[in-house]
Amino acid sequence: MSTIAVVRLPASEFALEATLEGVPGVSFEVERVVAPEADRVMPYVWATAEAEQFDALQAALEDDPTTGDVELLVDLDDEWLFRMTWVGKTKFVIHILVEENGTIIDATGTGDEWQLRILFPARDALGATYEYCEEHDIPLRLEQIYRLDQSPRRGQYGLTEEQYETLIAALEKGYYDIPREISGTDLAADLGISHQALSERLRRGYTNLLTNALVVGENEISE
């Protein structure tokens, strides 16, 4: 079964550490990652910073020891899309893309760390990647794991199936509208559960949603 893993690792052990340090407030979001060759990774990276920081940003990217062949593709004043080559400490990405047939769904770099969401064709591929990182002293930290057959939105935000369906039903039936289009009693009746069960699902759903959207990985899923 295909598996999605959310992982974190320090920028010092991955990519663009020098740029993140040298350009205060800059953040990166990877649009796409390809491996045109077995030993080379080419990401398309959005950079966000103050407009007046562009010259410093471009200079930092070109001098960064983890990058090569930096090319500006899109300029939106305070957002820029770059194509570049990652070298050096990014070798575990090659392992994911080439050896495990994985896909980097998205990756963001801010401050001193990166968060990546990775699709593996099977759970074994995730295990092999974790072992690879341990063997090569790459401090990969697993934040969350979920199957592809789960709802991406539900899995991404730590919701159980019942919590997800209850929150969606509440939204669609107007429970959150002002004024409310449906009462808690009527919503519970529509879902075939007690009012107390509704309250518990909503409360726990809120907790998981906020925890995983704002502080990913800090808490386990509440059933």
Side-chain angles (χ1 to χ4, degrees):
M1 177 61 64
S2 296
T3 300
I4 293 176
V6 179
V7 304
R8 287 183 185 268
L9 73 166
S12 60
E13 301 297 330
F14 185 48
L16 301 176
E17 178 194 17
T19 304
L20 286 165
E21 286 185 351
V23 184
V26 68
S27 62
F28 294 103
E29 182 175 350
V30 175
E31 178 79 11
R32 186 162 64 97
V33 183
V34 297
E37 299 172 8
D39 60 350
R40 188 161 65 99
V41 177
M42 181 181 292
Y44 291 74
V45 183
W46 282 102
T48 303
E50 299 293 334
E52 58 269 20
Q53 292 179 294
F54 173 73
D55 291 339
L57 171 64
Q58 190 166 36
L61 286 172
E62 291 174 353
D63 292 339
D64 197 302
T66 62
T67 66
D69 304 320
V70 178
E71 180 183 358
L72 176 66
L73 301 179
V74 177
D75 184 345
L76 299 178
D77 292 333
D78 59 356
E79 288 186 302
W80 305 274
L81 178 63
F82 292 94
R83 179 172 59 196
M84 63 186 71
T85 300
W86 276 350
V87 297
K89 296 178 180 179
T90 60
K91 59 186 178 182
F92 97 96
V93 175
I94 295 176
H95 174 87
I96 292 171
L97 298 177
V98 177
E99 297 185 31
E100 303 300 340
N101 295 316
T103 301
I104 307 296
I105 299 174
D106 54 53
T108 55
T110 57
D112 60 356
E113 73 172 2
W114 282 84
Q115 176 180 288
L116 295 83
R117 195 155 54 101
I118 308 166
L119 170 64
F120 292 95
R123 183 66 175 262
D124 289 348
L126 169 58
T129 297
Y130 192 74
E131 291 177 1
Y132 174 91
C133 290
E134 285 191 323
E135 291 172 2
H136 292 81
D137 297 321
I138 300 171
L140 191 72
R141 187 170 81 251
L142 285 171
E143 292 269 308
Q144 196 173 11
I145 304 171
Y146 57 96
R147 300 191 312 271
L148 189 60
D149 65 344
Q150 293 177 314
S151 163
R153 289 170 291 182
R154 176 162 53 83
Q156 181 181 357
Y157 296 116
L159 299 172
T160 67
E161 183 174 358
E162 289 181 344
Q163 291 165 7
Y164 176 79
E165 291 177 351
T166 301
L167 287 169
I168 292 298
L171 179 65
E172 291 179 345
K173 293 179 180 294
Y175 182 73
Y176 300 113
D177 291 353
I178 301 175
R180 281 181 173 169
E181 296 294 327
I182 189 172
S183 68
T185 300
D186 289 340
L187 178 60
D190 285 353
L191 294 171
I193 59 177
S194 68
H195 189 273
Q196 181 179 352
L198 173 69
S199 298
E200 290 178 356
R201 284 189 193 177
L202 290 176
R203 184 173 65 253
R204 290 173 178 171
Y206 299 150
T207 299
N208 287 331
L209 182 62
L210 292 171
T211 297
N212 287 277
L214 301 179
V215 192
V216 178
E218 291 294 324
N219 292 71
E220 297 295 328
I221 296 175
S222 298
E223 295 297 335

